[in-house]
Amino acid sequence: MLDFSRFIKKPIIKEVDELDNCHFRTLYRRDTFYDNYTDPDFLCSLQLNTNLNYYSLTEAIVATTRLSLNICTCVLYFIFYYHLGHDNITPTSVFRISFSCAIVGYFILNMWRFWNDKWNLETLMKVSLIWDLKVSFLCGIFCYLLTPMLRTLTNTMDIDTVHAWCTILFGVHLFCNNYGMMAYCVCRALSTNSAIFAMFCLGSRLQSDNHCLSLLSFGVLCFICFPQFAKMLWNWTPGSVLYFLLLSGASYTVSPGFMLFYVVCMFMTIVVAPSLYVVYIQYKQNIMGPWDEAIPDLNIDMDAINRGFEERKYKPPVRSRHMVDETVEEWEAMGIGQPL
Amino acid sequence: MVHTVCMVSDFFYPNVGGIEEHIYNLSQCLIERGHKIVVVTHTYGDRKGVRWMTNGLKVYYVPAQVFYNGAILPNMVTLIPIFREILIREEIQIVHGHGAFSSLAHDGLFVGKLLGLKTVFTDHSLFGFADASAIITNRFLEISLADVNHSICVSHTGKANTVLRAKIKGKDVSVIPNAVDMSMFTPIKPGEIGPPADRVVIIILSRLVYRKGVDLMSGIIPIIIEKYDDVDFLIGGDGPKRLQLEELKERYVHRVRLVGKIDHALVRDFFIQGHIFLNTSLTEAYCMAIVEAAASGLKVVSTRVGGIPEVLPPGLITLSSPNVGALVEELDIVIDQVRRGDLADPWEAHAIISSLYNWRDVARRTEAVYDGIVSAVTLTDSQRMRRYLKFGRFVGPLFCLVLGLTRIIMWICERAVPRHLIDIVKSYPAKATYKARTL
């Protein structure tokens, strides 16, 4: 039989006995200390920064490529919108650019998938090519049919309102996009949809259906196709730098002010933010201890369990005598028989 | 020394839970010891105004709208007149707030401090430091406890947590555990129908929410059921994660039974239908359910989280890491013990727990806290402001302004309803009928 003699009521009045100098951090064990006694090492279970990762400045700057690529894409879309609106480029040329970029990008993407052994040739042909052709065809038809309606979507609104609204939507797109981080704010559906909505809003301000359709096709390329392609550029810094520099020149064609805004924005993203992160991460104090909510480890051998379940599936289950289950009784009364 | 204490919390009967039970039982035992206790909580449905409970426990249900999770909107200002009136007319000396989530408790403590009364705060829960809600809540707790005379935690882990969250001194925090009404939780008596002799029944009783480890439950149950033909699960409680267990019930229809929410009065009858109590909580300051189960003669298997390892002696509890594999291993051992009958005598375990945790002992120790603070020096407004200014360049001056604003409101209240015009209520003719004082 177990010995419980040492677990007796905790006295409030100090008594002198053999445990006088021994303080237990348990509620069930006897000690003679006052309730507010604090032993010198009562915070011994405290842990600091157990899961903290330190990054070098180069690593942090390379990692910001993921965000800066998306910002660049939004800016690129706006540049095309601006020049279409001012008739600096024709819808036909935008179509040509979109189409050729799509073909080349699609080819490179599939080659990349193929060389990285992600997909084999059969999957590429069956799944990727046929399926993508179907989707592209359907999307193209629907966009073409709906363009006259989309073009009048924001006719009753002021252009400043539309621009402000689109800025917010692009902000949401950038905020919720998946940059490879597991967080509550990451929502790919919200990110893509807000970008598409912004794309429609801007497209609806153009002068003709052709202008609108060409911008939409370019938007689909930017916000639906490019994110898949961008993963290849995440760790390829020269490509991102080239993209950034080309876009700096392109943004100058809108206005010098816009170019300045773009360069400052990219400077904040690529240089200032990672530098601040690297400097301030050393001051981070993440306190961990037994009070933290445990993260349950649910890794179990489900195959073994399912195998056991399959083996038992056709055996009549052992029924507990004391467990009267109304559902089973009802089923039995209805003559349905024993459910598995 | 007789004290007049006002217990303040958002959580009180008719709501049911650990804090509610704590306040009620502690108040009853303090009344038994000759103190005067008043409880202040917010209205529950049509339960508003003043109610009297057993032994003259007076409860004020003040008109405040519930904002989130059973707590009112923290505003620090609008409840000043009603709190002032209650505290003056009841001649309160000590304001005792319960629950870090309870905005009403913090408001009550704030008004108590404005009136120069002594304040005590009991923290019943654990909180992390990492997420945004924890950072905000901890900041508010830090401000609220900056000038509280004393704090009470229900476990040593809770004390470490509160000291770190509120940045207060360790000597200002006492550890006084919760207790259980042992007369309600007795092992199975001769003549009562218990679990069948040829089967092992594992009992689970908790709110079915993420923090109680429902994911772990739904991982363990299939494994144990596939492994043993003679082990069944009896699950009590309700919550948003119930569906997860309903699916298991459909799969193992004869072996898993869900009984839904159980009245606290029937919990003991539920416990004696099993052999083993399984607790899969992911965080607990002090788990009352394991104490109740052990007092009812069950062998407890629990996760090693929060304050749980402090609560029960090793002979009555088996602890495990919060993962499915480890819990199943511990359950294997305990199931084997149950089959062999190699368990502690339930009545001996009941007697031990009765001596460890009872409300009279809790009341005695809480009374010692009251005795200790009653002679403490009351802080002046300038001293309080100096403390607030340490909170930072923004929060510090902001709370100094809030203090100034509340002082103005108090002045207006004093003008509108002067203190001498507030009637002092007659106390309930309670007397220390119990010999508790001699304990």
Side-chain angles (χ1 to χ4, degrees):
Chain A
M1 194 53 65
L2 293 157
D3 175 27
F4 291 107
S5 59
R6 65 184 188 279
F7 310 126
I8 64 164
K9 187 159 61 178
K10 189 174 179 178
I12 220 166
I13 299 159
K14 202 168 185 184
E15 290 170 3
V16 180
D17 62 7
E18 70 276 10
L19 294 170
D20 198 30
N21 293 321
C22 195
H23 178 250
F24 299 108
R25 267 199 299 277
T26 50
L27 301 172
Y28 58 81
R29 199 176 296 216
R30 170 187 182 163
D31 67 31
T32 53
F33 290 80
Y34 290 100
D35 286 329
N36 65 338
Y37 175 76
T38 310
D39 53 352
D41 60 342
F42 90 111
L43 288 178
C44 61
S45 53
L46 184 142
Q47 296 170 315
L48 267 180
N49 299 334
T50 48
N51 301 321
L52 197 60
N53 293 324
Y54 291 96
Y55 296 98
S56 68
L57 185 61
T58 321
E59 284 172 325
I61 287 174
V62 170
T64 54
T65 312
R66 301 177 179 196
L67 175 64
S68 57
L69 275 176
N70 267 34
I71 297 174
C72 288
T73 312
C74 294
V75 170
L76 181 68
Y77 185 78
F78 183 79
I79 291 169
F80 268 77
Y81 159 75
Y82 178 84
H83 286 303
L84 268 174
H86 288 79
D87 276 331
N88 296 336
I89 43 173
T90 58
T92 323
S93 52
V94 176
F95 268 129
R96 280 181 192 148
I97 291 168
S98 307
F99 193 70
S100 49
C101 283
I103 296 289
V104 173
Y106 187 72
F107 178 73
I108 295 172
L109 181 68
N110 279 321
M111 289 302 286
W112 181 71
R113 282 170 174 169
F114 183 67
W115 288 116
N116 285 300
D117 286 338
K118 290 200 170 183
W119 286 0
N120 58 28
L121 199 59
E122 197 184 357
T123 323
L124 274 178
M125 291 304 290
K126 272 189 183 171
V127 180
S128 177
L129 192 62
I130 298 168
W131 174 256
D132 291 344
L133 275 173
K134 269 187 198 170
V135 173
S136 316
F137 183 71
L138 279 174
C139 283
I141 294 286
F142 273 104
C143 280
Y144 182 73
L145 292 175
L146 293 174
T147 305
M149 207 164 64
L150 287 175
R151 205 176 63 77
T152 55
L153 190 72
T154 58
N155 269 4
T156 55
M157 293 164 83
D158 190 63
I159 189 138
D160 291 339
T161 314
V162 175
H163 284 176
W165 184 231
C166 289
T167 310
I168 294 167
L169 286 168
F170 279 132
V172 173
H173 163 68
L174 292 173
F175 186 73
C176 299
N177 201 23
N178 181 12
Y179 302 106
M181 182 180 72
M182 293 289 288
Y184 289 115
C185 61
V186 175
C187 179
R188 196 160 162 258
L190 179 63
S191 170
T192 312
N193 280 315
S194 57
I196 290 171
F197 188 40
M199 185 173 100
F200 284 152
C201 288
L202 286 181
S204 66
R205 303 304 302 190
L206 294 176
Q207 50 272 55
S208 76
D209 290 351
N210 274 349
H211 283 76
C212 181
L213 187 62
S214 63
L215 193 68
L216 286 188
S217 66
F218 188 70
V220 168
L221 191 75
C222 285
F223 301 112
I224 298 170
C225 303
F226 184 70
Q228 298 182 40
F229 190 77
K231 284 182 185 170
M232 288 196 295
L233 297 175
W234 274 3
N235 296 319
W236 189 44
T237 318
S240 316
V241 172
L242 187 68
Y243 186 29
F244 163 67
L245 289 176
L246 286 175
L247 210 58
S248 304
S251 62
Y252 186 74
T253 59
V254 175
S255 74
F258 184 70
M259 182 187 162
L260 185 69
F261 169 75
Y262 169 69
V263 171
V264 169
C265 191
M266 293 310 283
F267 181 73
M268 296 296 282
T269 312
I270 297 174
V271 181
V272 178
S275 310
L276 287 175
Y277 175 80
V278 171
V279 170
Y280 284 107
I281 194 73
Q282 56 187 310
Y283 299 112
K284 185 168 179 174
Q285 286 198 339
N286 196 358
I287 301 171
M288 317 278 279
W291 46 79
D292 283 320
E293 190 175 280
I295 298 162
D297 182 4
L298 304 172
N299 288 329
I300 42 174
D301 190 359
M302 279 310 292
D303 288 342
I305 295 162
N306 288 334
R307 210 163 39 241
F309 181 65
E310 290 299 321
E311 284 165 11
R312 285 173 46 82
K313 202 170 180 180
Y314 299 106
K315 293 178 189 173
V318 182
R319 185 159 179 199
S320 169
R321 274 185 294 140
H322 77 290
M323 285 197 173
V324 183
D325 198 293
E326 292 84 2
T327 322
V328 179
E329 285 195 343
E330 282 166 18
W331 286 349
E332 283 171 352
M334 288 158 67
I336 295 172
Q338 289 275 341
L340 284 173
Chain B
M1 199 185 301
V2 174
H3 305 291
T4 314
V5 184
C6 176
M7 303 275 181
V8 194
S9 181
D10 273 308
F11 311 107
F12 193 67
Y13 296 143
N15 201 31
V16 182
I19 299 179
E20 292 82 345
E21 213 178 311
H22 180 100
I23 296 173
Y24 179 77
N25 288 305
L26 177 64
S27 303
Q28 288 296 340
C29 291
L30 285 170
I31 289 171
E32 210 174 60
R33 295 178 72 81
H35 303 291
K36 180 186 169 184
I37 309 292
V38 176
V39 178
V40 178
T41 185
H42 63 72
T43 49
Y44 282 91
D46 60 347
R47 190 179 280 234
K48 49 188 89 161
V50 181
R51 297 275 181 127
W52 292 87
M53 297 181 85
T54 315
N55 290 334
L57 176 63
K58 193 174 188 180
V59 187
Y60 284 89
Y61 290 92
V62 298
Q65 185 64 42
V66 173
F67 171 61
Y68 176 67
N69 222 354
I72 64 159
L73 182 72
N75 55 64
M76 308 184 84
V77 175
T78 55
L79 287 174
I80 287 178
I82 198 161
F83 263 121
R84 175 180 171 271
E85 188 119 353
I86 292 169
L87 297 180
I88 291 173
R89 75 199 294 265
E90 295 288 347
E91 296 181 298
I92 299 295
Q93 297 164 341
I94 297 167
V95 181
H96 189 161
H98 290 264
F101 295 108
S102 170
S103 318
L104 193 76
H106 294 302
D107 283 4
L109 290 173
F110 196 79
V111 181
K113 286 179 265 185
L114 283 175
L115 288 170
L117 306 178
K118 304 292 177 274
T119 47
V120 181
F121 175 76
T122 300
D123 199 353
H124 293 259
S125 47
L126 299 177
F127 228 92
F129 295 87
D131 56 291
S133 70
I135 291 165
I136 295 165
T137 317
N138 293 347
R139 198 72 173 149
F140 277 114
L141 189 76
E142 188 186 339
I143 293 157
S144 182
L145 297 198
D147 39 12
V148 162
N149 294 97
H150 204 85
S151 300
I152 297 172
C153 290
V154 290
S155 62
H156 292 278
T157 307
K159 174 172 175 169
N161 188 235
T162 305
V163 165
L164 286 167
R165 281 159 65 203
K167 299 192 180 80
I168 48 178
K169 289 175 187 161
K171 70 177 177 59
D172 291 335
V173 185
S174 291
V175 176
I176 302 175
N178 271 328
V180 170
D181 185 358
M182 285 299 154
S183 59
M184 275 179 72
F185 294 94
T186 53
I188 191 162
K189 292 172 187 163
E192 286 183 316
I193 301 167
D198 59 338
R199 302 197 69 79
V200 178
V201 180
I202 299 175
I203 300 264
I204 298 172
L205 179 65
S206 71
R207 281 180 296 118
L208 301 179
V209 294
Y210 172 77
R211 283 164 73 101
K212 298 291 177 186
V214 178
D215 297 322
L216 283 173
M217 289 175 206
S218 53
I220 294 162
I221 292 170
I223 301 177
I224 293 290
I225 285 185
E226 295 298 334
K227 217 168 178 178
Y228 302 99
D229 276 342
D230 62 341
V231 179
D232 300 322
F233 282 86
L234 194 52
I235 303 169
D238 207 347
K241 286 246 177 188
R242 182 173 172 158
L243 194 66
Q244 212 168 317
L245 297 177
E246 292 276 3
E247 284 169 7
L248 278 176
K249 190 201 160 191
E250 282 172 21
R251 190 169 165 185
Y252 304 107
V253 72
H254 304 289
R255 309 281 300 277
V256 178
R257 190 177 174 205
L258 285 169
V259 294
K261 202 171 177 181
I262 297 175
D263 275 356
H264 194 249
L266 299 174
V267 169
R268 182 257 172 191
D269 296 338
F270 179 69
F271 279 148
I272 60 165
Q273 296 303 312
H275 299 96
I276 301 165
F277 180 77
L278 176 64
N279 174 52
T280 54
S281 292
L282 304 179
T283 177
E284 287 282 359
Y286 173 99
C287 186
M288 275 175 137
I290 59 169
V291 182
E292 290 169 352
S296 305
L298 270 67
K299 173 76 183 180
V300 179
V301 177
S302 174
T303 43
R304 192 186 290 108
V305 293
I308 288 179
E310 301 173 26
V311 178
L312 287 176
L316 299 178
I317 189 168
T318 304
L319 294 167
S320 151
S321 313
N323 69 65
V324 173
L327 276 163
V328 168
E329 277 177 32
E330 296 301 338
L331 275 172
D332 287 342
I333 297 167
V334 177
I335 288 168
D336 190 45
Q337 284 178 350
V338 172
R339 281 172 170 166
R340 287 189 283 110
D342 181 21
L343 291 174
D345 176 25
W347 283 99
E348 194 178 346
H350 177 81
I352 290 296
I353 294 169
S354 303
S355 69
L356 286 171
Y357 304 115
N358 66 70
W359 287 111
R360 291 194 176 106
D361 184 44
V362 172
R364 191 169 59 92
R365 290 159 75 170
T366 310
E367 188 187 73
V369 171
Y370 294 158
D371 290 341
I373 61 161
V374 89
S375 57
V377 181
T378 308
L379 293 178
T380 60
D381 282 354
S382 59
Q383 285 170 324
R384 290 176 69 189
M385 281 187 182
R386 249 175 258 139
R387 288 195 183 186
Y388 289 160
L389 284 173
K390 290 176 188 165
F391 294 141
R393 288 175 191 168
F394 175 71
V395 179
L398 181 73
F399 269 83
C400 289
L401 284 174
V402 171
L403 181 62
L405 175 68
T406 50
R407 200 42 95 187
I408 292 167
I409 294 170
M410 284 296 275
W411 179 78
I412 294 168
C413 290
E414 193 64 48
R415 291 279 158 181
V417 188
R419 187 178 278 257
H420 66 271
L421 290 183
I422 298 173
D423 292 332
I424 306 299
V425 295
K426 272 191 171 181
S427 295
Y428 187 81
K431 52 186 175 182
T433 51
Y434 193 71
K435 293 175 187 167
R437 290 210 150 269
T438 58
L439 263 177

